[in-house]
Structures are given as structure tokens and as C-alpha cells.
PDB file of all heavy atoms in Angstrom:
ATOM      1  N   GLY A   1     -14.454  -2.935  67.365  1.00 98.00           N
ATOM      2  CA  GLY A   1     -14.388  -4.108  68.228  1.00 98.00           C
ATOM      3  C   GLY A   1     -15.658  -4.929  68.223  1.00 98.00           C
ATOM      4  O   GLY A   1     -15.620  -6.147  68.438  1.00 98.00           O
ATOM      5  N   ALA A   2     -16.803  -4.293  67.968  1.00 98.00           N
ATOM      6  CA  ALA A   2     -18.086  -5.003  67.980  1.00 98.00           C
ATOM      7  C   ALA A   2     -18.344  -5.784  66.696  1.00 98.00           C
ATOM      8  O   ALA A   2     -19.121  -6.749  66.709  1.00 98.00           O
ATOM      9  CB  ALA A   2     -19.223  -4.008  68.219  1.00 98.00           C
ATOM     10  N   VAL A   3     -17.724  -5.387  65.591  1.00 98.00           N
ATOM     11  CA  VAL A   3     -18.032  -6.034  64.303  1.00 98.00           C
ATOM     12  C   VAL A   3     -16.855  -6.807  63.719  1.00 98.00           C
ATOM     13  O   VAL A   3     -17.047  -7.626  62.806  1.00 98.00           O
ATOM     14  CB  VAL A   3     -18.528  -5.000  63.266  1.00 98.00           C
ATOM     15  CG1 VAL A   3     -19.762  -4.259  63.775  1.00 98.00           C
ATOM     16  CG2 VAL A   3     -17.435  -4.011  62.865  1.00 98.00           C
ATOM     17  N   ASP A   4     -15.653  -6.576  64.194  1.00 98.00           N
ATOM     18  CA  ASP A   4     -14.447  -7.173  63.604  1.00 98.00           C
ATOM     19  C   ASP A   4     -14.499  -8.696  63.598  1.00 98.00           C
ATOM     20  O   ASP A   4     -14.383  -9.340  62.546  1.00 98.00           O
ATOM     21  CB  ASP A   4     -13.218  -6.673  64.369  1.00 98.00           C
ATOM     22  CG  ASP A   4     -11.946  -7.402  63.984  1.00 98.00           C
ATOM     23  OD1 ASP A   4     -11.733  -7.594  62.775  1.00 98.00           O
ATOM     24  OD2 ASP A   4     -11.169  -7.772  64.891  1.00 98.00           O
ATOM     25  N   LYS A   5     -14.668  -9.290  64.746  1.00 98.00           N
ATOM     26  CA  LYS A   5     -14.661 -10.750  64.832  1.00 98.00           C
ATOM     27  C   LYS A   5     -15.826 -11.389  64.076  1.00 98.00           C
ATOM     28  O   LYS A   5     -15.616 -12.354  63.316  1.00 98.00           O
ATOM     29  CB  LYS A   5     -14.675 -11.188  66.307  1.00 98.00           C
ATOM     30  CG  LYS A   5     -14.498 -12.686  66.494  1.00 98.00           C
ATOM     31  CD  LYS A   5     -14.322 -13.048  67.963  1.00 98.00           C
ATOM     32  CE  LYS A   5     -14.026 -14.530  68.107  1.00 98.00           C
ATOM     33  NZ  LYS A   5     -13.749 -14.901  69.534  1.00 98.00           N
ATOM     34  N   PRO A   6     -17.058 -10.892  64.222  1.00 98.00           N
ATOM     35  CA  PRO A   6     -18.168 -11.487  63.466  1.00 98.00           C
ATOM     36  C   PRO A   6     -17.993 -11.416  61.950  1.00 98.00           C
ATOM     37  O   PRO A   6     -18.277 -12.390  61.244  1.00 98.00           O
ATOM     38  CB  PRO A   6     -19.375 -10.654  63.922  1.00 98.00           C
ATOM     39  CG  PRO A   6     -19.014 -10.166  65.280  1.00 98.00           C
ATOM     40  CD  PRO A   6     -17.544  -9.903  65.216  1.00 98.00           C
ATOM     41  N   ILE A   7     -17.502 -10.284  61.432  1.00 98.00           N
ATOM     42  CA  ILE A   7     -17.344 -10.155  59.986  1.00 98.00           C
ATOM     43  C   ILE A   7     -16.262 -11.099  59.482  1.00 98.00           C
ATOM     44  O   ILE A   7     -16.430 -11.775  58.449  1.00 98.00           O
ATOM     45  CB  ILE A   7     -17.032  -8.699  59.595  1.00 98.00           C
ATOM     46  CG1 ILE A   7     -18.237  -7.799  59.883  1.00 98.00           C
ATOM     47  CG2 ILE A   7     -16.665  -8.609  58.119  1.00 98.00           C
ATOM     48  CD1 ILE A   7     -17.974  -6.316  59.630  1.00 98.00           C
ATOM     49  N   ALA A   8     -15.139 -11.161  60.181  1.00 98.00           N
ATOM     50  CA  ALA A   8     -14.067 -12.074  59.782  1.00 98.00           C
ATOM     51  C   ALA A   8     -14.552 -13.524  59.812  1.00 98.00           C
ATOM     52  O   ALA A   8     -14.222 -14.324  58.924  1.00 98.00           O
ATOM     53  CB  ALA A   8     -12.861 -11.892  60.699  1.00 98.00           C
ATOM     54  N   ALA A   9     -15.361 -13.856  60.825  1.00 98.00           N
ATOM     55  CA  ALA A   9     -15.906 -15.213  60.919  1.00 98.00           C
ATOM     56  C   ALA A   9     -16.836 -15.503  59.750  1.00 98.00           C
ATOM     57  O   ALA A   9     -16.832 -16.615  59.201  1.00 98.00           O
ATOM     58  CB  ALA A   9     -16.645 -15.376  62.243  1.00 98.00           C
ATOM     59  N   LEU A  10     -17.643 -14.529  59.370  1.00 98.00           N
ATOM     60  CA  LEU A  10     -18.562 -14.712  58.250  1.00 98.00           C
ATOM     61  C   LEU A  10     -17.793 -15.016  56.962  1.00 98.00           C
ATOM     62  O   LEU A  10     -18.129 -15.954  56.226  1.00 98.00           O
ATOM     63  CB  LEU A  10     -19.418 -13.458  58.070  1.00 98.00           C
ATOM     64  CG  LEU A  10     -20.319 -13.423  56.833  1.00 98.00           C
ATOM     65  CD1 LEU A  10     -21.362 -14.529  56.887  1.00 98.00           C
ATOM     66  CD2 LEU A  10     -20.986 -12.057  56.694  1.00 98.00           C
ATOM     67  N   ILE A  11     -16.752 -14.225  56.675  1.00 98.00           N
ATOM     68  CA  ILE A  11     -15.961 -14.437  55.466  1.00 98.00           C
ATOM     69  C   ILE A  11     -15.318 -15.824  55.489  1.00 98.00           C
ATOM     70  O   ILE A  11     -15.381 -16.586  54.505  1.00 98.00           O
ATOM     71  CB  ILE A  11     -14.869 -13.352  55.325  1.00 98.00           C
ATOM     72  CG1 ILE A  11     -15.483 -11.948  55.293  1.00 98.00           C
ATOM     73  CG2 ILE A  11     -14.025 -13.610  54.083  1.00 98.00           C
ATOM     74  CD1 ILE A  11     -16.349 -11.655  54.121  1.00 98.00           C
ATOM     75  N   ALA A  12     -14.694 -16.168  56.620  1.00 98.00           N
ATOM     76  CA  ALA A  12     -14.020 -17.462  56.726  1.00 98.00           C
ATOM     77  C   ALA A  12     -15.004 -18.619  56.629  1.00 98.00           C
ATOM     78  O   ALA A  12     -14.713 -19.653  56.006  1.00 98.00           O
ATOM     79  CB  ALA A  12     -13.248 -17.525  58.050  1.00 98.00           C
ATOM     80  N   ASP A  13     -16.178 -18.473  57.242  1.00 98.00           N
ATOM     81  CA  ASP A  13     -17.190 -19.528  57.233  1.00 98.00           C
ATOM     82  C   ASP A  13     -17.725 -19.759  55.826  1.00 98.00           C
ATOM     83  O   ASP A  13     -17.870 -20.900  55.372  1.00 98.00           O
ATOM     84  CB  ASP A  13     -18.322 -19.141  58.185  1.00 98.00           C
ATOM     85  CG  ASP A  13     -19.181 -20.332  58.605  1.00 98.00           C
ATOM     86  OD1 ASP A  13     -18.866 -21.468  58.199  1.00 98.00           O
ATOM     87  OD2 ASP A  13     -20.170 -20.127  59.329  1.00 98.00           O
ATOM     88  N   LEU A  14     -18.030 -18.676  55.117  1.00 98.00           N
ATOM     89  CA  LEU A  14     -18.501 -18.805  53.732  1.00 98.00           C
ATOM     90  C   LEU A  14     -17.444 -19.499  52.876  1.00 98.00           C
ATOM     91  O   LEU A  14     -17.764 -20.364  52.049  1.00 98.00           O
ATOM     92  CB  LEU A  14     -18.823 -17.426  53.158  1.00 98.00           C
ATOM     93  CG  LEU A  14     -20.070 -16.721  53.691  1.00 98.00           C
ATOM     94  CD1 LEU A  14     -20.114 -15.277  53.198  1.00 98.00           C
ATOM     95  CD2 LEU A  14     -21.350 -17.451  53.263  1.00 98.00           C
ATOM     96  N   LYS A  15     -16.193 -19.125  53.080  1.00 98.00           N
ATOM     97  CA  LYS A  15     -15.109 -19.713  52.286  1.00 98.00           C
ATOM     98  C   LYS A  15     -14.945 -21.193  52.603  1.00 98.00           C
ATOM     99  O   LYS A  15     -14.793 -22.031  51.693  1.00 98.00           O
ATOM    100  CB  LYS A  15     -13.811 -18.951  52.568  1.00 98.00           C
ATOM    101  CG  LYS A  15     -12.671 -19.330  51.636  1.00 98.00           C
ATOM    102  CD  LYS A  15     -11.472 -18.411  51.864  1.00 98.00           C
ATOM    103  CE  LYS A  15     -10.343 -18.726  50.882  1.00 98.00           C
ATOM    104  NZ  LYS A  15      -9.185 -17.816  51.066  1.00 98.00           N
ATOM    105  N   GLN A  16     -14.998 -21.546  53.883  1.00 98.00           N
ATOM    106  CA  GLN A  16     -14.832 -22.934  54.284  1.00 98.00           C
ATOM    107  C   GLN A  16     -15.948 -23.816  53.729  1.00 98.00           C
ATOM    108  O   GLN A  16     -15.738 -24.995  53.396  1.00 98.00           O
ATOM    109  CB  GLN A  16     -14.792 -23.011  55.826  1.00 98.00           C
ATOM    110  CG  GLN A  16     -14.499 -24.390  56.392  1.00 98.00           C
ATOM    111  CD  GLN A  16     -15.757 -25.204  56.631  1.00 98.00           C
ATOM    112  OE1 GLN A  16     -16.817 -24.655  56.925  1.00 98.00           O
ATOM    113  NE2 GLN A  16     -15.637 -26.525  56.504  1.00 98.00           N
ATOM    114  N   ARG A  17     -17.141 -23.267  53.574  1.00 98.00           N
ATOM    115  CA  ARG A  17     -18.291 -24.007  53.055  1.00 98.00           C
ATOM    116  C   ARG A  17     -18.380 -23.972  51.535  1.00 98.00           C
ATOM    117  O   ARG A  17     -19.345 -24.493  50.957  1.00 98.00           O
ATOM    118  CB  ARG A  17     -19.588 -23.447  53.657  1.00 98.00           C
ATOM    119  CG  ARG A  17     -19.725 -23.705  55.139  1.00 98.00           C
ATOM    120  CD  ARG A  17     -20.864 -22.931  55.782  1.00 98.00           C
ATOM    121  NE  ARG A  17     -20.935 -23.213  57.197  1.00 98.00           N
ATOM    122  CZ  ARG A  17     -21.663 -24.196  57.735  1.00 98.00           C
ATOM    123  NH1 ARG A  17     -22.383 -24.982  56.954  1.00 98.00           N
ATOM    124  NH2 ARG A  17     -21.659 -24.397  59.038  1.00 98.00           N
ATOM    125  N   GLY A  18     -17.428 -23.321  50.879  1.00 98.00           N
ATOM    126  CA  GLY A  18     -17.453 -23.238  49.431  1.00 98.00           C
ATOM    127  C   GLY A  18     -18.496 -22.279  48.894  1.00 98.00           C
ATOM    128  O   GLY A  18     -18.881 -22.358  47.722  1.00 98.00           O
ATOM    129  N   MET A  19     -18.938 -21.339  49.740  1.00 98.00           N
ATOM    130  CA  MET A  19     -20.000 -20.403  49.347  1.00 98.00           C
ATOM    131  C   MET A  19     -19.497 -19.008  49.001  1.00 98.00           C
ATOM    132  O   MET A  19     -20.225 -18.230  48.393  1.00 98.00           O
ATOM    133  CB  MET A  19     -21.038 -20.283  50.472  1.00 98.00           C
ATOM    134  CG  MET A  19     -21.809 -21.551  50.761  1.00 98.00           C
ATOM    135  SD  MET A  19     -22.906 -21.331  52.194  1.00 98.00           S
ATOM    136  CE  MET A  19     -24.019 -20.047  51.604  1.00 98.00           C
ATOM    137  N   LEU A  20     -18.265 -18.685  49.391  1.00 98.00           N
ATOM    138  CA  LEU A  20     -17.794 -17.312  49.176  1.00 98.00           C
ATOM    139  C   LEU A  20     -17.678 -16.996  47.694  1.00 98.00           C
ATOM    140  O   LEU A  20     -17.933 -15.868  47.274  1.00 98.00           O
ATOM    141  CB  LEU A  20     -16.446 -17.101  49.873  1.00 98.00           C
ATOM    142  CG  LEU A  20     -15.894 -15.674  49.825  1.00 98.00           C
ATOM    143  CD1 LEU A  20     -16.849 -14.688  50.489  1.00 98.00           C
ATOM    144  CD2 LEU A  20     -14.513 -15.597  50.478  1.00 98.00           C
ATOM    145  N   GLU A  21     -17.307 -17.969  46.908  1.00 98.00           N
ATOM    146  CA  GLU A  21     -17.105 -17.747  45.475  1.00 98.00           C
ATOM    147  C   GLU A  21     -18.346 -17.180  44.798  1.00 98.00           C
ATOM    148  O   GLU A  21     -18.253 -16.327  43.916  1.00 98.00           O
ATOM    149  CB  GLU A  21     -16.695 -19.061  44.801  1.00 98.00           C
ATOM    150  CG  GLU A  21     -16.391 -18.909  43.321  1.00 98.00           C
ATOM    151  CD  GLU A  21     -15.928 -20.208  42.692  1.00 98.00           C
ATOM    152  OE1 GLU A  21     -15.532 -21.135  43.434  1.00 98.00           O
ATOM    153  OE2 GLU A  21     -15.964 -20.308  41.454  1.00 98.00           O
ATOM    154  N   ASP A  22     -19.549 -17.641  45.219  1.00 98.00           N
ATOM    155  CA  ASP A  22     -20.767 -17.143  44.577  1.00 98.00           C
ATOM    156  C   ASP A  22     -21.678 -16.384  45.548  1.00 98.00           C
ATOM    157  O   ASP A  22     -22.876 -16.261  45.331  1.00 98.00           O
ATOM    158  CB  ASP A  22     -21.540 -18.273  43.892  1.00 98.00           C
ATOM    159  CG  ASP A  22     -21.881 -19.425  44.821  1.00 98.00           C
ATOM    160  OD1 ASP A  22     -21.677 -19.297  46.044  1.00 98.00           O
ATOM    161  OD2 ASP A  22     -22.355 -20.470  44.333  1.00 98.00           O
ATOM    162  N   THR A  23     -21.086 -15.879  46.638  1.00 98.00           N
ATOM    163  CA  THR A  23     -21.800 -14.977  47.547  1.00 98.00           C
ATOM    164  C   THR A  23     -21.077 -13.640  47.556  1.00 98.00           C
ATOM    165  O   THR A  23     -19.888 -13.576  47.864  1.00 98.00           O
ATOM    166  CB  THR A  23     -21.842 -15.533  48.988  1.00 98.00           C
ATOM    167  OG1 THR A  23     -22.476 -16.806  48.993  1.00 98.00           O
ATOM    168  CG2 THR A  23     -22.607 -14.591  49.906  1.00 98.00           C
ATOM    169  N   LEU A  24     -21.761 -12.580  47.203  1.00 98.00           N
ATOM    170  CA  LEU A  24     -21.174 -11.241  47.198  1.00 98.00           C
ATOM    171  C   LEU A  24     -21.393 -10.602  48.570  1.00 98.00           C
ATOM    172  O   LEU A  24     -22.529 -10.441  49.010  1.00 98.00           O
ATOM    173  CB  LEU A  24     -21.821 -10.382  46.113  1.00 98.00           C
ATOM    174  CG  LEU A  24     -21.358  -8.919  46.029  1.00 98.00           C
ATOM    175  CD1 LEU A  24     -19.874  -8.844  45.709  1.00 98.00           C
ATOM    176  CD2 LEU A  24     -22.179  -8.160  44.998  1.00 98.00           C
ATOM    177  N   VAL A  25     -20.311 -10.254  49.251  1.00 98.00           N
ATOM    178  CA  VAL A  25     -20.375  -9.566  50.541  1.00 98.00           C
ATOM    179  C   VAL A  25     -19.954  -8.113  50.316  1.00 98.00           C
ATOM    180  O   VAL A  25     -18.925  -7.856  49.681  1.00 98.00           O
ATOM    181  CB  VAL A  25     -19.469 -10.235  51.590  1.00 98.00           C
ATOM    182  CG1 VAL A  25     -19.589  -9.515  52.936  1.00 98.00           C
ATOM    183  CG2 VAL A  25     -19.825 -11.716  51.743  1.00 98.00           C
TER     184      VAL A  25
END
């Protein structure tokens, strides 16, 4: 419960900014 929302937000935010493609999580 402490990490679920922040991690999902990080993935979605990177993707929305066009950064997920060249950022390895």
C-alpha cells in the first residue's frame, strides 16, 4: 500500500513525458 500508487505514477509519468522508452526502471 505504501509503494503501489507512487510506482504506478512514476511509470505513467515517464511514459506520458516520452521518457519511459529510454529510461530503464
Side-chain angles (χ1 to χ4, degrees):
V3 302
D4 171 45
K5 187 172 185 176
I7 293 175
L10 173 63
I11 302 295
D13 199 3
L14 288 170
K15 189 173 183 178
Q16 185 270 329
R17 292 169 180 270
M19 295 175 63
L20 185 60
E21 183 177 343
D22 55 9
T23 301
L24 177 62
V25 182

